[in-house]
């Protein structure tokens, strides 16, 4: 959450932003570039900073690409920034406290007591101010809390409190847009907050559809989120699909993100939620059948990463002529369609920051492929790069194929199947 203000001329925020942009520009020499960032932070911290400066500094540092190399984040500097924030966090405005939550979210240094102490103060204060917050503010708070929950700090009572206020103000005090409801559903799912009171949101979605407030594209997005998070009612799904099917499938390109969302909806309803699928209205069922038959080509299929290119090369050395293939909404860059084996190269971006937990899409992909009879073999791209030499990578692939009984012995070069 950016804090808009005029900075003092002597505080070099422009230089800091330029250094951060250098880090974001690529992964080469990322440690050296990161050092340049923290050198500028040192200079800034030696000056007289007010609260707005500290929040702006936290926001700027939150732009550092932690997935590229977690060593870019300097825990000692983050601790000093938060240490200056702690004494005044209880007296901040709602907007400032939300900015602090953003800083806690986007500066994923290792957990320490100071960080948790700030989190506790901010969440308690925001819960007390719940009725005073706008719907947009509350959505932002839930979004930050959900991302923090993935790494440990949790505050589920604020989520439940939101639904109580929602029941009171949805039809009278809050200006609510469909895309905000979508964000709230995602936040509840990511934070793993499960409550029967979510039916209030499901019913509100039905009301928005009935009032004509939901466009076909937003209906697809909402339906996609609801089935993916398992936070839905059958009535809401029927209502959203009734809007989605008003637009002909020919409107969407073969690589459209909306076509991928529709393919995902059809796949989840048919495979994971058969009872809901079988109870759909005839028109909606016919629409999903057309979605299943429609052509879709993920843009990922048009190029290879360095890792997938190399993996294909070493697989070929052992008789596996890897191919690319679409399976429903899922792009398989490296696979053997005949034996139904997929080699999935996983980058850090496929995991939630600072965790070993797969994000939703790759997790869904693995589960659905396995349910369809595919064997999925993950290859960690980071580990692959660390192997360094061709000989080590050759051995890695050979050992993987032997462990999966895909080649007969260490010396074999022909698949046993």
């Amino acid at each position: 959450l950016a804090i808009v203000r005029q900075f003092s001329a002597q505080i070099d925020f422009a230089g800091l932003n330029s250094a951060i942009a250098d880090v974001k520009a690529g992964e080469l020499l990322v440690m050296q570039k990161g050092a340049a960032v923290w050198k500028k932070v040192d200079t800034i911290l030696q000056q007289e900073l007010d609260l707005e400066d500290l929040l702006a500094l936290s926001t700027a540092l939150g732009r550092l690409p932690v997935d590229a190399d977690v060593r870019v984040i300097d825990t000692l500097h983050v601790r000093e920034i938060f240490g200056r924030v702690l004494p005044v966090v209880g007296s901040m405005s709602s907007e400032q406290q939300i900015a602090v939550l953003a800083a806690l979210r986007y500066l994923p240094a290792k957990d320490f007591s100071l960080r948790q102490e700030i989190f506790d103060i901010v969440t308690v204060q925001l819960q007390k101010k719940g009725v005073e917050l706008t719907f947009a503010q509350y959505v932002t708070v839930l979004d930050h809390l959900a991302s923090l929950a993935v790494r440990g700090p949790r505050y589920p009572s604020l989520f439940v409190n939101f639904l109580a206020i929602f029941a009171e103000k949805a039809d009278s005090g809050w200006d609510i847009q469909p895309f905000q409801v979508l964000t709230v559903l995602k936040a509840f799912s990511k934070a793993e907050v499960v409550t029967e009171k979510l039916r209030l949101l499901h019913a509100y979605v039905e009301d928005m559809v009935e009032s004509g407030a939901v466009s076909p594209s937003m209906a697809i997005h909402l339906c996609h989120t609801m089935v993916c998070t398992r936070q839905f009612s059958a009535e809401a799904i029927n209502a959203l699909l009734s809007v989605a099917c008003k637009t002909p499938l020919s409107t969407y390109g073969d690589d459209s993100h909306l076509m991928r969302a529709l393919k995902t909806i059809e796949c989840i309803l048919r495979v994971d939620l058969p009872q809901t699928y079988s109870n759909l209205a005839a028109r909606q069922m016919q629409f999903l059948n057309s979605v299943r038959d429609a052509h879709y080509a993920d843009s990922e299929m048009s190029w290879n990463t360095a890792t997938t290119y190399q993996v294909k090369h070493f697989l070929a050395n052992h008789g596996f002529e890897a191919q690319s293939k679409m399976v429903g909404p899922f792009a398989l860059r490296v696979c053997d369609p005949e034996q139904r084996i997929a080699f999935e190269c996983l980058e850090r971006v496929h995991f939630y920051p600072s965790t070993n937990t797969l994000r939703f899409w790759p997790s869904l992909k693995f589960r659905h492929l396995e349910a369809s009879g595919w064997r999925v073999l993950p290859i960690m791209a980071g580990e692959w790069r660390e192997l360094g030499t061709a000989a080590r990578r050759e051995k890695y692939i050979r050992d993987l194929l032997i462990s999966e009984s895909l080649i007969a012995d260490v010396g074999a070069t022909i698949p046993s199947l």
Side-chain angles (χ1 to χ4, degrees):
L1 180 66
I3 304 297
V4 180
R5 68 186 301 272
Q6 294 295 320
F7 298 115
S8 303
Q10 69 271 20
I11 300 178
D12 186 20
F13 279 96
L16 174 63
N17 286 326
S18 176
I20 290 172
D22 284 344
V23 178
K24 290 174 69 67
E27 296 184 21
L28 294 176
L29 302 177
V30 71
M31 286 188 66
Q32 290 90 327
K33 290 181 177 180
V37 169
W38 296 108
K39 184 176 180 179
K40 291 190 178 295
V41 172
D42 270 333
T43 302
I44 290 173
L45 288 175
Q46 290 170 16
Q47 301 177 60
E48 190 75 25
L49 301 180
D50 61 21
L51 177 59
E52 298 286 338
D53 292 330
L54 287 169
L55 293 178
L57 178 58
S58 301
T59 302
L61 293 175
R63 294 168 47 227
L64 284 169
V66 296
D67 283 336
D69 192 323
V70 294
R71 290 170 294 183
V72 171
I73 297 296
D74 187 309
T75 303
L76 292 177
H77 285 91
V78 174
R79 188 191 299 269
E80 181 173 352
I81 294 168
F82 287 160
R84 297 193 189 187
V85 168
L86 179 60
V88 294
V89 70
S91 59
M92 290 180 181
S93 68
S94 297
E95 282 293 327
Q96 291 170 333
Q97 289 174 338
I98 292 171
V100 170
L101 270 187
L104 293 174
R105 170 182 179 176
Y106 292 116
L107 291 178
K110 292 181 179 179
D111 288 339
F112 46 86
S113 58
L114 177 61
R115 188 166 179 258
Q116 185 66 47
E117 190 173 352
I118 293 175
F119 175 81
D120 291 340
I121 293 172
V122 170
T123 48
V124 169
Q125 289 283 328
L126 288 174
Q127 178 152 336
K128 289 179 180 178
K129 298 175 181 177
V131 178
E132 304 169 12
L133 298 178
T134 66
F135 187 72
Q137 287 177 321
Y138 227 129
V139 169
T140 302
V141 169
L142 296 183
D143 187 36
H144 291 328
L145 289 179
S147 289
L148 284 164
V150 174
R151 297 196 298 273
R154 295 178 181 273
Y155 206 82
S157 61
L158 205 148
F159 283 80
V160 177
N161 189 58
F162 162 80
L163 291 174
I165 299 173
F166 181 86
E168 175 186 339
K169 300 184 69 173
D171 296 324
S172 57
W174 274 345
D175 177 27
I176 302 174
Q177 300 299 318
F179 73 89
Q180 294 172 320
V181 175
L182 185 150
T183 302
V184 171
L185 289 169
K186 288 182 178 178
F188 270 83
S189 175
K190 189 184 291 187
E192 298 181 345
V193 177
V194 180
T195 169
E196 281 294 318
K197 291 183 178 180
L198 275 170
R199 66 181 183 276
L200 295 169
L201 280 177
H202 306 157
Y204 193 81
V205 168
E206 294 177 59
D207 292 341
M208 286 193 297
V209 169
E210 188 174 343
S211 67
V214 181
S215 66
S217 61
M218 180 53 65
I220 293 172
H221 285 303
L222 276 168
C223 188
H224 178 264
T225 297
M226 295 181 91
V227 298
C228 287
T229 61
R230 303 297 195 272
Q231 295 174 336
F232 68 91
S233 66
E235 293 79 9
I237 297 301
N238 248 314
L240 291 168
L241 288 176
S242 71
V243 176
C245 65
K246 292 179 181 179
T247 301
L249 292 179
S250 57
T251 304
Y252 309 120
D254 286 353
D255 60 350
S256 163
H257 68 283
L258 289 174
M259 180 59 79
R260 180 169 106 157
L262 285 169
K263 286 273 189 181
T264 305
I265 291 167
E266 187 279 329
C267 187
I268 291 177
L269 285 172
R270 177 172 46 84
V271 177
D272 294 346
L273 304 168
Q275 184 173 352
T276 302
Y277 182 76
S278 62
N279 289 330
L280 291 173
R283 187 184 178 200
Q284 282 81 313
M285 181 75 78
Q286 183 180 5
F287 175 68
L288 289 182
N289 287 337
S290 298
V291 168
R292 186 179 183 185
D293 294 336
H295 181 261
Y296 169 67
D298 196 304
S299 57
E300 286 187 11
M301 299 289 282
S302 62
W303 53 277
N304 281 301
T305 65
T307 303
T308 55
Y309 180 83
Q310 293 164 6
V311 168
K312 283 183 176 180
H313 168 76
F314 288 108
L315 284 171
N317 290 348
H318 292 277
F320 283 84
E321 295 298 332
Q323 301 178 31
S324 298
K325 181 178 176 62
M326 290 299 306
V327 178
F330 307 115
L332 307 185
R333 280 177 171 165
V334 187
C335 71
D336 182 337
E338 289 188 8
Q339 299 188 64
R340 299 175 77 82
I341 299 170
F343 298 87
E344 284 295 303
C345 300
L346 296 174
E347 301 279 356
R348 274 305 311 169
V349 71
H350 294 123
F351 297 84
Y352 288 112
S354 304
T355 75
N356 291 320
T357 304
L358 276 175
R359 291 183 184 271
F360 172 78
W361 184 254
S363 176
L364 177 72
K365 181 178 182 179
F366 277 39
R367 190 174 72 252
H368 274 247
L369 286 174
E370 289 169 351
S372 302
W374 283 77
R375 195 188 322 182
V376 183
L377 306 180
I379 295 175
M380 303 303 297
E383 295 177 8
W384 179 265
R385 285 190 287 268
E386 289 176 1
L387 292 173
T389 66
R392 289 178 178 174
R393 289 170 178 166
E394 181 83 31
K395 182 178 183 302
Y396 179 98
I397 292 296
R398 184 173 64 247
D399 291 345
L400 175 62
L401 296 177
I402 291 172
S403 68
E404 296 294 328
S405 301
L406 295 174
I407 56 177
D409 54 54
V410 174
T413 58
I414 304 296
S416 60
L417 298 180

